[in-house]
Amino acid sequence: MDGVKPLETYDYLFCGRRRAHFVIAELTREVKIRIIDEASSPVVNLVPSKFLPRFASLEKARAELEQLAGNGAVDVKLLRR
């Protein structure tokens, strides 16, 4: 997508099943990001990038994603692609 430079991608696994796919990206301008909800019949939303979180560094973005995986109390992990 023009204006978006993907840096890293991750699958969010819960009990061994992929529940979400995340992309850490650099934005070169304001864009609309396509979010697809595949829970039942797929629903596509275009979300302006101004509503998405921003991080000062790649490491801070990674740390935010790692918080999703929690402390290991449940079977949740991030798998880098």
Side-chain angles (χ1 to χ4, degrees):
M1 172 185 289
D2 187 38
V4 178
K5 178 183 171 187
L7 302 176
E8 296 180 354
T9 61
Y10 293 85
D11 285 338
Y12 177 81
L13 305 176
F14 179 75
C15 294
R17 290 184 59 207
R18 186 176 88 161
R19 297 297 183 174
H21 181 74
F22 293 100
V23 178
I24 297 175
E26 179 181 338
L27 300 178
T28 58
R29 63 181 180 84
E30 292 294 322
V31 296
K32 290 189 178 181
I33 302 295
R34 185 175 52 178
I35 309 281
I36 303 170
D37 180 355
E38 298 175 338
S40 54
S41 59
V43 176
V44 177
N45 291 297
L46 294 175
V47 178
S49 57
K50 68 181 180 180
F51 295 116
L52 300 175
R54 297 180 189 251
F55 302 95
S57 67
L58 181 57
E59 291 76 23
K60 289 185 180 188
R62 280 187 199 129
E64 185 72 16
L65 273 180
E66 287 169 4
Q67 285 187 340
L68 289 173
N71 60 7
V74 293
D75 186 10
V76 175
K77 61 177 115 172
L78 286 172
L79 181 62
R80 186 171 176 184
R81 295 290 176 185

